[in-house]
């Protein structure tokens, strides 16, 4: 039996998802016979950790502070082992711009993009470069906040006239935003789980929107509005390539424990592009990582057990 | 039985596969629901450290606790067994007498048998839909409409057609043309849903002339009007206008509630409708909950018997009027000139509209970082409009919080206006609220120096950061 602190909730925009993830993790840990200390992360986090003295922390947080290395740094400082990726991998995965630059430098395909801080527009006249950027990316363009994990703030710009409002929206979430070439095609997610320290890919999940060509990111991962196919029906070569790309990115960013890599399979070219890496993907009943694990014959409890084991120091 | 909500074993079975299995059993009507991202965002507005102008809550903090205690003692002494018992579906006569008093205060006469007591005003909307709508039937509503009615309309798979408003409420020319268009398409709407007094969320009031036009249109076309009047007695200025029901009772279903004049916690509302409709609604209510709480009905009965209700409503009017004025002053001081907003003569809400390039759902995410919240306008539309507007509530928070909340929202709006100006290289000041969801023109504003005099506030406060 291990004493596990489950860190959930917090103040990010993904608080609700995290509360659901955390509740399921708690139940699984209890069924596995562990002693659970549930913590809704707030100003008293350190106090609660000092009082509870857990042997390991299960980080079931999503979004700002929980997924971007902040909480991980704190756990490092307190000497508490924790699940999932370390500080530097979290920082790189949470910042889409950093992650995409790293991918591009390594030659891993990711949709073309340009990224800007607010200061580039405020102090450097970046607005005047917009026409050139638009020409190089071609429409439609996707505008995203660099550090937001959920669908919030992601906008389509179909014409140049849409771009300023899309940027204003994205800057509501972050000081840094990116403009990305939109890839039309299939939406794939490759989940990765460490097995005895070796990253292993799980069956690929495809998210199929019920309403085709309706650019609504908010419905993307919602049951009833999106259908999930796992394992995704893909040619063996595509499946292998997607898995291989996911593993390369996982290692490139230095992830550990588990993660989910989102890719697009372009319709016209059949090329795969990596969009982003989620260092703490959702663990709710509709989340993709548990679905993928299930398809591989790993039940939710076994999944959680393995994630905790991989975080504990080797005896 | 909802998967994933139970404890222990039921939760352990809620894998994605199981959820999909349940999902295949879900009725079509469950598929029209708000996105989870929006739901998650709204959940954050309820955090303790957030000044929430998002709620629609009346202020129940001024109700005297000793009064509550003595009323409950009276109920215990006089009607304990009956209060603990089921009551008739149509409601207890002790409550119907109270309803007659309230309706009397708004110039209406009513007999007991013309009333159906409901579990809040919200149940009236549900029962009307249940009684009148088949899937695909048309409901005409205002644009924007009461956000709480949207899920009800959707659950009955209604096709909602929204008619624009201006400062005098629903536009009758647009209503006529909408009805004509529907007729051409062979669609006859079942009812027109309206909140004529101090509209939620728009804050406007339907003018007398339009009230007369509306009941005339309804009678001519033999359409029903669902008149939702929760705020009618909460008027802070101007002359009360006759309800639609008092202008014509043949085609009007009237709905009101004790929620705003006493307490939403008692969960009591009521409806009066043409007899055949009322009968069907009664049967619908039986199926729903048999009857509304007898305890609550005796409680309200005892309260009205004490003679305190009108004085309490007057005290609420005083509190809310001050809060409304504080919010209007704060808006004039803190919101940029590109924004416009309504000036409600009563009720609980102000509707503010930004220039079209501002999306208030994203703005809410930004505002939450400053620990302040409002309702994004999209919640009040079924068709994706409303993206540049917001609903602001002034009844549920105190005056200091209203000032501070509006200051923070104003700051993030100004930040986005400036950014847009930078991005487009235009003078953003010229791009005022022009969206579909704008109800009023931006008001001419006094210069900052004059404003400071009028409001007796130092001008520098406008630029203070915090």
């Amino acid at each position: 039996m291990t004493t596990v602190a489950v860190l959930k909730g917090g103040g990010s925009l993904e608080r609700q998802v995290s509360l659901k993830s955390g509740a399921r993790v708690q139940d699984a840990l209890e069924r596995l016979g562990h002693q659970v200390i549930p913590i809704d992360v707030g100003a008293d986090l350190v106090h609660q950790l000092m009082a509870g003295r857990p042997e390991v922390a299960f980080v079931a947080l999503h979004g700002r502070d929980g997924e971007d290395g902040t909480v991980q740094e704190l756990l490092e400082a307190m000497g508490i082992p924790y699940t999932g990726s370390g500080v530097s991998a979290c920082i790189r995965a949470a910042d889409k711009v950093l992650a995409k630059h790293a991918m591009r430098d390594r030659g891993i395909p990711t949709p073309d993009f340009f990224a800007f801080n607010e200061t580039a527009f405020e102090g450097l006249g970046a607005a005047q470069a917009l026409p050139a950027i638009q020409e190089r990316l071609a429409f439609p363009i996707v505008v995203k906040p660099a550090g937001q994990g959920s669908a919030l703030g992601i906008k389509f710009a179909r014409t140049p006239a849409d771009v300023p409002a899309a940027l204003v929206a994205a800057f509501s979430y972050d000081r840094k935003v990116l403009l990305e070439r939109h890839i039309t095609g299939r939406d794939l997610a490759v989940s990765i789980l460490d097995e005895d320290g070796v990253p292993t890919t799980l069956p690929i999940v495809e998210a199929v929107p019920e309403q085709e060509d309706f650019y609504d990111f908010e419905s993307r991962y919602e049951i009833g509005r999106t259908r999930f196919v796992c394992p995704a029906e893909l040619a063996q070569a595509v499946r292998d390539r997607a898995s291989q790309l996911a593993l390369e990115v996982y290692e490139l960013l230095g992830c550990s424990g588990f993660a989910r890599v989102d890719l697009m399979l372009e319709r016209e070219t059949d090329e795969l592009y990596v969009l982003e890496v989620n260092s703490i993907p959702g663990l709710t009943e509709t989340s993709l990582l548990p679905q993928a694990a299930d398809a591989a014959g790993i039940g939710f409890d076994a999944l959680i057990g393995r994630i905790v084991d991989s975080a504990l120091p080797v005896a | 039985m909802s998967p994933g909500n139970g404890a222990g074993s039921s939760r352990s079975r809620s894998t994605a596969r199981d959820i999909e299995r349940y999902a295949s059993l879900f009725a079509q009507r469950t598929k029209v629901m708000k996105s989870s991202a929006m739901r998650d965002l709204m959940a954050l507005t309820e955090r303790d450290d957030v000044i929430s102008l998002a709620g629609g809550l009346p202020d129940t903090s001024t109700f005297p606790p000793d009064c509550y205690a003595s009323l409950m003692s009276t109920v215990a002494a006089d009607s304990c067994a009956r209060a603990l018992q089921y009551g008739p579906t149509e409601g207890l006569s002790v409550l119907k007498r109270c309803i007659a008093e309230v309706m009397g205060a708004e110039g209406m006469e009513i007999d007991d048998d013309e009333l159906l007591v409901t579990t809040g005003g919200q149940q009236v909307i549900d029962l009307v839909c249940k009684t009148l709508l088949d899937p695909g039937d048309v409901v005409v509503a205002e644009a924007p409409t009461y956000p709480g009615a949207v899920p009800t309309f959707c659950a009955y798979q209604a096709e909602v057609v929204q008619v624009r408003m201006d400062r005098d409420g629903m536009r009758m020319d647009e209503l006529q043309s909408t009805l004509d268009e529907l007729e051409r398409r062979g669609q006859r709407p079942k009812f027109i849903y309206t909140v004529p007094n101090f509209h939620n969320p728009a804050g406007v009031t339907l003018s007398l002339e339009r009230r007369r036009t509306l009941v005339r249109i309804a009678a001519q076309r033999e359409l029903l009007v669902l008149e939702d009047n929760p705020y009618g007695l909460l008027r802070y200025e101007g002359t009360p206008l006759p309800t639609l029901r008092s202008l014509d009772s043949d085609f009007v279903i009237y709905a009101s509630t004790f929620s705003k004049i006493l307490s939403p916690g008692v969960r009591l509302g009521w409806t009066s409708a043409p007899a055949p409709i009322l009968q069907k609604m009664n049967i619908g209510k039986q199926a729903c909950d048999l009857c509304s709480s007898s305890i609550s009905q005796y409680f309200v009965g005892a309260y009205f018997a004490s003679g305190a209700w009108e004085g309490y409503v007057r005290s609420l009017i005083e509190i809310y009027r001050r809060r409304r004025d504080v919010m209007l002053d704060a808006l004039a001081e803190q919101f940029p000139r590109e924004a416009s907003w309504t000036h409600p003569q009563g009720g609980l809400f102000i509707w503010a509209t930004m220039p079209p390039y501002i999306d208030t759902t994203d703005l809410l995410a930004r505002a939450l970082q400053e620990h302040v919240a409002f309702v994004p306008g999209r919640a009040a539309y079924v068709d994706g409009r409303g993206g540049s507007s917001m609903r602001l509530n002034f009844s549920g928070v105190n005056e200091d919080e209203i000032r501070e909340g509006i200051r923070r929202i104003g700051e993030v709006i100004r930040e986005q206006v400036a950014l847009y100006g930078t991005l487009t290289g235009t003078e953003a000041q010229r791009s005022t609220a022009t969206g579909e969801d704008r109800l009023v023109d931006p008001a001419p504003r006094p210069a900052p120096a004059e404003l400071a005099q009028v409001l007796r506030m130092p001008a520098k406060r406008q630029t203070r950061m915090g």
Side-chain angles (χ1 to χ4, degrees), chain A residues 1-7 25-26 29-30 32-39 49 52-59 80-83 304 308-309 311-312:
Chain A
M1 187 186 78
T2 310
T3 309
V4 188
V6 174
L7 311 192
V25 168
Q26 250 169 266
L29 289 170
E30 276 164 10
L32 292 167
H34 297 302
Q35 191 184 339
V36 177
I37 308 168
I39 300 177
L49 287 170
R53 304 168 64 87
E55 291 162 80
V56 61
F58 196 111
V59 188
I80 301 171
Y82 54 90
T83 56
I304 298 306
V308 170
D309 289 345
L312 285 167

Side-chain angles (χ1 to χ4, degrees), chain B residues 157-458:
Chain B
Q157 294 165 279
E159 188 191 317
V160 183
V161 178
Q162 293 186 267
V163 173
R164 279 183 300 173
M165 292 195 281
D166 57 25
R167 65 177 75 232
D168 289 328
M170 191 193 283
R171 287 173 47 173
M172 291 299 120
D173 55 340
E174 191 163 317
L175 174 65
Q176 287 278 22
S177 60
T178 301
L179 294 174
D180 289 343
E181 173 58 27
L182 287 168
E183 200 174 303
R184 269 195 293 279
R185 290 185 351 218
Q187 286 178 295
R188 179 182 168 210
K190 290 290 180 69
F191 66 92
I192 300 166
Y193 173 69
T194 176
V195 181
N197 291 321
F198 327 126
H199 190 270
N200 174 7
V204 295
T205 294
L206 191 66
S207 69
L208 179 58
E209 191 191 332
R210 288 191 188 175
R211 285 174 196 238
R212 294 206 170 104
T213 310
L214 178 57
V215 293
R216 197 182 60 236
I217 291 173
Q220 276 167 357
R221 297 186 184 243
E222 304 213 328
L223 299 175
L224 288 158
V225 176
L226 172 51
E227 174 179 30
D228 192 358
N229 185 28
Y231 319 110
L233 287 173
L234 298 177
R235 179 176 274 279
Y236 318 134
E237 65 182 54
T239 320
L241 297 174
T243 60
L244 299 172
R245 188 189 179 279
S246 46
L247 294 174
D248 178 350
S249 58
D250 285 352
F251 289 95
V252 175
I253 302 172
Y254 182 81
S256 192
T257 176
F258 288 101
S259 294
K260 308 303 186 295
I261 55 170
L262 170 56
S263 143
V266 298
R267 301 310 306 124
L268 288 175
W270 68 90
T271 180
S272 80
I277 295 171
L278 198 68
Q279 238 166 36
K280 290 286 181 201
M281 286 169 75
N282 186 313
I283 295 166
K285 181 172 166 65
Q286 273 179 46
C288 237
D289 60 2
L290 295 177
C291 62
S292 295
S293 160
S294 303
I295 298 175
S296 284
Q297 294 185 59
Y298 279 109
F299 173 81
V300 175
Y303 176 62
F304 272 65
S306 77
W309 81 272
E310 284 169 304
Y312 182 62
V313 171
R314 276 195 296 275
S315 74
L316 287 178
I317 287 174
E318 283 313 306
I319 294 168
Y320 294 162
R321 181 195 286 123
R322 276 202 306 276
R323 289 180 183 178
R324 177 203 62 167
D325 291 344
V326 165
M327 185 173 274
L328 286 169
D329 287 349
L331 285 166
E333 190 191 0
Q334 303 290 350
F335 271 32
R337 60 172 61 251
E338 290 80 3
S340 66
W341 54 87
T342 53
H343 179 110
Q345 295 184 317
L348 314 181
F349 305 106
I350 291 173
W351 179 254
T353 302
M354 307 301 121
Y357 55 81
I358 290 183
D359 183 317
T360 50
T361 305
D362 300 311
L363 187 75
L364 173 60
R366 177 72 189 84
L368 281 167
Q369 291 168 32
E370 307 300 327
H371 303 276
V372 62
F374 50 82
V375 175
R378 250 187 223 106
Y381 287 80
V382 292
D383 54 11
R385 281 187 285 167
S388 296
S389 293
M390 63 175 76
R391 187 188 79 175
L392 297 163
N393 166 267
F394 54 79
S395 61
V397 286
N398 67 40
E399 294 171 26
D400 286 342
E401 285 181 320
I402 291 173
R403 274 188 211 100
E404 179 58 18
I406 295 296
R407 189 190 68 75
R408 292 182 197 174
I409 298 170
E411 203 160 287
V412 294
I413 297 169
R414 281 202 303 272
E415 183 183 292
Q416 299 208 330
V417 169
L419 178 61
Y420 187 82
T422 309
L423 289 169
T424 52
T426 57
E427 196 196 339
Q429 305 253 329
R430 288 198 192 133
S431 180
T432 50
T434 55
E436 282 262 312
D437 37 349
R438 188 196 60 162
L439 299 183
V440 292
D441 295 322
R445 230 80 59 75
E450 296 168 44
L451 195 69
Q453 272 184 343
V454 174
L455 301 173
R456 290 186 299 282
M457 284 178 188

